[in-house]
Amino acid sequence: MKMIALGMGLLISAISVFAAPPVEVDITRYGAVGDGKVLNTVAIQKAIDDCHQQGGGKVVLPAGTWLSGTIVLKDHVILQFKKDARLLGSTNINDYQNIDPFTDGLGIDVGWALLVAVDAKDIGIEGEGAIDGQGAKLKEQQIATDTRPEGERWGRRPFLVRIVRCENVTVKGITLNYAAAWTSHYFQSKQVRIENIKIVSHGVAHNDGIDIDGCQDVRIKDCDIYSGDDALCFKTTSSTMACSNIVVTGLRLRSNQGAIKMGTESMAPFENITISGCYIYDTNNGGIKLLTVDGAHLRNVQISDIEMVNVRTPMLIRLGSRLSVFRKGKDSQQTTGTLENVVIRNVKAQAAAKAQLTPPSGILITGVPGHYITNLTLENITINLAGGGTALNARQQVPEAVNKYPEVSKNLWPIGAGLWHLGQACKRFKTGEHHVYT
């Protein structure tokens, strides 16, 4: 028996010794040139394809500036950035592909991207380098030939990173800079881990930081985001898959729009989402914005331990009936959704001196007739607000604006005063300890 056991041990040891190591492919082996001038799309894609065909591994970008158009990640491939490696997006808009088109909340066709994965498993973007979309330069080149109005033209510009219907995704350590549209978009993907990334992306319109769109089992932690548009935004542009089972911790957020946002694209549910320990600063719109206007059920959401400094409107909570459809021919219009079982606690906010409304409001909450916000708890909320206003301001009614885009600045709310500004469709609303300093 002892001899048999020894033989088995030797066999296991031999298998361990002779097991093939993961493939590691350097893009320079395929002719890539890191001078920021040579277009490396074909070389980088060939490295990814070969790594995938060999069973997976790492495709390595060494130090250098690697100019490229759209590249597609494949199963079991990690794109590994060495220190001082930079993937640089081409400024020629024709170097980009739209593999999975859709329509955004403003009705614009979008989906082009620099780095994209579709229906892939076990993929990653990791390392000490950066991905730079050259958004402002690309826009400048685009408008020289695209004569449409900017509101229609911007959708043709590429996202920086786009992950579509993927499983087991890791994005770690990387820096994402200056997208030409959304910075990173994760659509209907599962087991997503985003950790210790830095985003600096502003200078053109629609520079969202992280967009989580109908994804499940997501963990986001220890990230630093400065975005031109919403910093951390949960969307559901399709009715077929909810945003659920999501945990967010330890983010620093600065935004020219909203910092933490759910909606506006909101067809499938937002549920079982926990966000905690975040610092929000120098944000020109809402600090926390919870919006369901296209049929989504927004429920079982907990947000806690949030600090805000210089934020123009600390909180906006809206249930509406815009009822848009974003994937034409693949989806149908929903009925009005619900907003329930939401807890926001332990928030300290220093509102900006210049607010979106004059006089300023700290918290805006409203539903629509026949559809009520229910079981909303605000506990231990401290807001330092500029104050001001008159008795007339305090008596102003909030217009229902049932089917409008849900935004403070887009005629949803009139000039009004006070920390609390509640619409007429709100039931079972609870507050805990509450302080206001003016």
Side-chain angles (χ1 to χ4, degrees):
M1 293 297 290
K2 290 182 179 179
M3 290 179 64
I4 294 173
L6 178 60
M8 289 294 289
L10 289 173
L11 178 60
I12 293 169
S13 177
I15 292 172
S16 176
V17 169
F18 293 107
V23 174
E24 187 167 299
V25 178
D26 190 311
I27 62 172
T28 59
R29 287 171 46 190
Y30 294 82
V33 179
D35 63 356
K37 299 177 182 179
V38 174
L39 189 67
N40 294 293
T41 312
V42 173
I44 298 173
Q45 190 62 60
K46 179 61 175 172
I48 291 170
D49 292 346
D50 281 2
C51 184
H52 164 67
Q53 290 166 9
Q54 294 177 59
K58 294 183 178 181
V59 172
V60 178
L61 278 69
T65 301
W66 311 95
L67 184 69
S68 182
T70 296
I71 55 178
V72 183
L73 275 179
K74 303 290 182 67
D75 287 357
H76 314 302
V77 174
I78 294 173
L79 202 60
Q80 179 74 46
F81 287 74
K82 297 298 186 181
K83 186 177 180 180
D84 298 324
R86 183 168 65 138
L87 179 64
L88 190 66
S90 169
T91 57
N92 183 347
I93 204 165
N94 296 315
D95 288 333
Y96 297 94
Q97 302 174 49
N98 190 348
I99 298 175
D100 189 84
F102 72 102
T103 304
D104 88 319
L106 299 174
I108 304 300
D109 293 334
V110 293
W112 288 264
L114 171 58
L115 178 56
V116 62
V118 179
D119 299 315
K121 295 181 179 180
D122 306 325
I123 59 172
I125 306 166
E126 301 179 357
E128 302 179 68
I131 305 175
D132 188 335
Q134 300 196 93
K137 290 183 181 180
L138 190 150
K139 176 183 176 180
E140 183 180 356
Q141 294 279 10
Q142 178 202 17
I143 63 178
T145 56
D146 191 336
T147 59
R148 292 176 297 168
E150 177 61 17
E152 300 174 12
R153 177 173 54 208
W154 79 267
R156 180 61 181 82
R157 298 199 285 268
F159 301 174
L160 205 61
V161 174
R162 187 145 187 253
I163 307 296
V164 179
R165 296 184 302 274
C166 295
E167 292 186 20
N168 193 19
V169 179
T170 300
V171 180
K172 184 177 180 180
I174 198 74
T175 296
L176 305 178
N177 289 334
Y178 304 111
W182 297 356
T183 306
S184 58
H185 179 222
Y186 302 81
F187 174 66
Q188 290 194 345
S189 295
K190 297 180 179 180
Q191 296 177 302
V192 177
R193 303 293 181 268
I194 304 169
E195 181 177 346
N196 195 31
I197 71 168
K198 182 176 182 180
I199 293 176
V200 179
S201 189
H202 53 85
V204 298
H206 311 288
N207 278 154
D208 287 13
I210 297 175
D211 287 311
I212 304 297
D213 184 353
C215 295
Q216 298 177 358
D217 188 15
V218 179
R219 302 293 181 268
I220 306 173
K221 72 173 188 175
D222 301 335
C223 299
D224 191 335
I225 303 174
Y226 174 17
S227 64
D229 210 318
D230 300 316
L232 173 63
C233 186
F234 299 92
K235 306 172 181 285
T236 48
T237 59
S238 167
S239 67
T240 60
M241 188 165 164
C243 266
S244 65
N245 189 22
I246 297 171
V247 177
V248 178
T249 59
L251 271 56
R252 286 177 54 88
L253 304 170
R254 177 183 178 184
S255 172
N256 292 339
Q257 289 296 324
I260 297 170
K261 181 179 177 183
M262 295 180 194
T264 63
E265 295 96 334
S266 49
M267 296 190 72
F270 303 97
E271 55 191 4
N272 304 325
I273 298 173
T274 301
I275 302 171
S276 64
C278 296
Y279 177 73
I280 299 169
Y281 67 106
D282 297 346
T283 290
N284 291 340
N285 201 313
I288 297 170
K289 302 172 71 175
L290 306 181
L291 318 170
T292 171
V293 296
D294 303 310
H297 301 290
L298 195 158
R299 57 199 174 196
N300 303 331
V301 172
Q302 294 193 33
I303 301 175
S304 64
D305 302 309
I306 307 295
E307 182 178 356
M308 304 185 200
V309 176
N310 195 32
V311 176
R312 292 182 70 188
T313 302
M315 295 188 207
L316 164 60
I317 299 171
R318 169 64 166 168
L319 169 62
S321 299
R322 181 182 63 176
L323 306 182
S324 292
V325 177
F326 309 104
R327 294 174 183 268
K328 309 300 183 185
K330 298 180 181 180
D331 222 328
S332 57
Q333 189 178 58
Q334 307 296 294
T335 58
T336 302
T338 60
L339 201 160
E340 59 187 351
N341 301 333
V342 172
V343 177
I344 303 175
R345 61 163 56 96
N346 301 337
V347 176
K348 295 182 179 180
Q350 171 67 55
K354 183 178 180 181
Q356 290 174 278
L357 300 177
T358 305
S361 289
I363 302 175
L364 299 164
I365 304 170
T366 185
V368 293
H371 300 277
Y372 302 103
I373 295 172
T374 61
N375 294 336
L376 169 64
T377 300
L378 302 181
E379 180 180 348
N380 196 23
I381 309 294
T382 301
I383 296 179
N384 190 319
L385 193 67
T390 66
L392 179 62
N393 294 138
R395 289 196 296 270
Q396 285 185 283
Q397 295 296 308
V398 180
E400 298 297 351
V402 173
N403 60 355
K404 300 294 184 181
Y405 186 96
E407 186 54 82
V408 176
S409 61
K410 297 193 176 182
N411 62 51
L412 183 56
W413 286 276
I415 292 175
L419 177 72
W420 306 97
H421 199 163
L422 275 66
Q424 298 180 29
C426 188
K427 285 186 176 179
R428 295 196 293 278
F429 172 72
K430 300 182 291 183
T431 68
E433 182 183 356
H434 168 64
H435 304 285
V436 186
Y437 301 96
T438 59

